[in-house]
Structure formats: structure tokens, C-alpha cells
């Protein structure tokens, strides 16, 4: 995550938590323009849209949050509410039941909704540590978040980013491989995995992941640039 993107998300979260939704929207929309990899950002935007009666935009934002993280219970519940407001009652009922299954509410297992909220709190704490340069502490917090909700692939992407900053490329690779395995069409994880593999000298494996990223999104500029780079290096060798 670039410093600029990190700053946008932090500012957006701060304004969101204060209830300053206009200011929060300003920062979060800029963050989404840079990357759509963070489910919590889409969820916050969805809440902001819903609060101002922009239900169609809210629906799209919550659906995007669930696309990034299919186990995001809070986003699923918010989507169910929005479907209901739009008169899409069947979709609302289906989404609500799905959210209940995510939470394990009928199995006697810990409430997944609550675990998801705790995981996000750990993720927020991790960001606070990272903002002041305490990366090891940030890793510890994100590991707690991932243990609580291992299916939150956006958390694994963020954890991998911290491992990269610490120079622990094998651990970054492991997190990204988990993310790609759980969500094969998660573009940002595939691109990041290629970078980590290349940094460890695995050019062919890196090119393979960037190639798959291009299959998912042929217009992705980052994947195009990286993929061209690997072939240029091969041609020049």
C-alpha cells in the first residue's frame, strides 16, 4: 500500500467514525479510485450512500465488499437491508440467510458477525501501529485478525504487504497464496504474489500469475506492465 493510499484510508476511517460522512466519502472514493482491494472501504462507502438515500450506489458498494471478501458478515447484512429498501425482497431474504450462515448463529459456534467485527478492530489497530512505523506490532495484530477470520482475503493481502516491508518474502508469499487459493479471481493478490515471487528469483512463476491476472482483467495496467517486463527481460537475456 502506498503512503498516499494509506493516508486516504486512514482519513476516511477517521471521518467515518466521527459521523462526518461527506468528508469520509471524499477520501474513501479517492482510495477506491486507486484500488478496489479493501472490503472495509467499500462497506463504509455503502453505509454512507445508504444513509443519504442513494440505495443503488449502496447496493453496488456492498456487493463489491462481498466480492472482495465473501465472508464479510457486516457487508452481507447491510446488503440485505439495502435490497429490502429497494423492494428486492427475495434477494434481501436470501442475503440475510446467507449472513446468518456466515455467523454460525444456528450451529452453536462463535458468532461470525462478532468475530468479523473483532477482526476488523485488530486490522484497525494494525494500521495504527503501521502508521507510526511499528511494523512488527502491526503484523501481530493482523495475524490475530486472520486467525479470527481466515477467509478475509483482504486482511491477508494487507498482512503480506507488511511482511514485504519487513523483508520476510516467504511469509508474504504464504499469505498471498492463501488469498489466491481462497479467491482465485482476486486480482490484487495475484499481482502482489507475482511481485513477491519475482523478488525471490522465480520469474516464470511471477509471469504465470500476472498472465492469469490479465486473463481476469485484460485492461489492468499494472499486470500489463509487469507481464511485458518479464518478457522484455527474457528477450534481452
Amino acid at each position: 500500500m502506498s503512503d498516499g493510499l494509506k493516508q486516504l484510508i486512514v482519513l476516511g476511517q477517521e471521518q467515518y467514525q466521527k459521523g462526518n460522512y461527506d468528508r469520509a466519502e471524499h477520501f474513501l472514493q479517492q482510495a477506491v479510485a486507486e484500488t478496489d482491494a479493501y472490503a472495509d472501504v467499500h462497506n463504509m462507502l455503502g453505509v454512507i450512500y445508504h444513509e443519504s438515500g442513494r440505495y443503488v450506489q449502496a447496493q453496488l458498494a456492498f456487493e463489491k465488499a462481498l466480492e472482495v471478501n465473501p465472508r464479510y458478515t457486516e457487508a452481507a447484512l447491510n446488503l440485505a437491508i439495502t435490497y429490502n429498501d429497494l423492494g428486492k425482497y427475495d434477494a434481501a431474504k436470501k442475503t440475510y440467510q446467507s449472513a446468518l450462515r456466515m455467523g454460525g448463529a444456528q450451529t452453536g459456534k462463535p458468532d461470525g458477525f462478532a468475530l468479523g467485527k473483532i477482526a476488523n478492530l485488530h486490522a484497525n489497530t494494525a494500521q495504527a501501529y503501521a502508521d507510526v512505523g511499528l511494523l512488527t506490532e502491526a503484523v501481530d495484530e493482523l495475524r490475530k485478525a486472520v486467525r479470527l477470520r481466515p477467509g478475509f482475503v483482504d486482511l491477508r493481502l494487507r498482512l503480506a504487504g507488511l511482511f514485504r516491508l519487513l523483508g520476510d518474502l516467504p511469509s508474504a508469499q504464504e499469505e498471498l497464496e492463501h488469498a489466491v487459493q481462497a479467491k482465485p479471481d482476486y486480482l490484487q493478490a495475484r499481482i502482489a504474489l507475482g511481485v513477491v515471487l519475482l523478488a525471490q528469483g522465480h520469474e516464470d512463476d511471477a509471469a504465470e500469475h500476472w498472465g492469469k491476472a490479465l486473463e481476469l482483467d485484460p485492461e489492468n495496467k499494472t499486470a500489463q506492465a509487469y507481464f511485458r517486463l518479464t518478457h522484455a527481460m527474457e528477450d534481452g537475456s
Side-chain angles (χ1 to χ4, degrees):
M1 183 188 294
S2 69
D3 289 342
L5 176 60
K6 183 176 17 176
Q7 183 73 0
L8 287 171
I9 294 175
V10 169
L11 290 171
Q13 288 173 329
E14 287 177 351
Q15 296 301 322
Y16 178 85
Q17 289 165 2
K18 292 177 181 176
N20 297 327
Y21 283 175
D22 288 344
R23 292 181 181 179
E25 181 179 350
H26 172 72
F27 294 118
L28 295 174
Q29 283 187 337
Q30 291 183 66
V32 166
E34 289 197 27
T35 176
D36 62 357
Y38 299 106
D40 54 341
V41 173
H42 293 294
N43 185 63
M44 284 188 285
L45 278 172
V47 171
I48 291 168
Y49 296 145
H50 187 275
E51 285 294 312
S52 59
R54 289 174 285 171
Y55 297 139
V56 174
Q57 283 181 268
Q59 174 190 329
L60 295 175
F62 293 135
E63 288 175 342
K64 186 64 183 179
L66 287 171
E67 180 183 330
V68 175
N69 183 355
R71 302 288 299 173
Y72 197 163
T73 308
E74 187 175 356
L77 291 172
N78 290 335
L79 180 58
I81 293 168
T82 304
Y83 278 146
N84 196 61
D85 290 333
L86 288 167
K88 299 178 178 180
Y89 303 118
D90 289 342
K93 184 177 180 180
K94 182 179 178 182
T95 304
Y96 178 73
Q97 290 173 337
S98 175
L100 288 181
R101 287 196 295 274
M102 287 180 198
Q106 298 173 351
T107 67
K109 296 179 181 177
D111 183 349
F113 180 61
L115 292 179
K117 292 182 76 69
I118 295 170
N120 284 327
L121 288 173
H122 281 300
N124 290 338
T125 303
Q127 188 63 54
Y129 276 125
D131 289 344
V132 295
L134 297 175
L135 300 184
T136 301
E137 287 78 1
V139 164
D140 290 341
E141 289 296 325
L142 269 179
R143 276 178 161 160
K144 292 175 185 175
V146 168
R147 278 199 295 272
L148 287 170
R149 303 307 285 166
F152 283 19
V153 291
D154 57 321
L155 296 180
R156 290 191 181 276
L157 179 64
R158 293 166 68 175
L159 180 55
L162 288 174
F163 279 132
R164 286 171 59 188
L165 290 174
L166 289 167
D168 187 352
L169 297 179
S171 293
Q173 178 181 340
E174 182 178 351
E175 293 302 327
L176 292 168
E177 286 175 342
H178 278 300
V180 168
Q181 184 177 13
K183 187 174 173 55
D185 61 349
Y186 191 11
L187 198 64
Q188 286 76 17
R190 280 204 180 274
I191 292 172
L193 180 54
V195 172
V196 169
L197 288 168
L198 185 71
Q200 297 177 93
H202 305 305
E203 292 94 343
D204 291 342
D205 292 334
E208 180 180 344
H209 281 286
W210 291 330
K212 288 181 178 176
L214 284 174
E215 290 176 8
L216 294 168
D217 181 7
E219 302 302 320
N220 186 281
K221 301 299 183 187
T222 303
Q224 287 177 355
Y226 288 157
F227 195 68
R228 282 200 302 268
L229 177 65
T230 56
H231 284 280
M233 294 299 101
E234 288 176 0
D235 293 341
S237 62

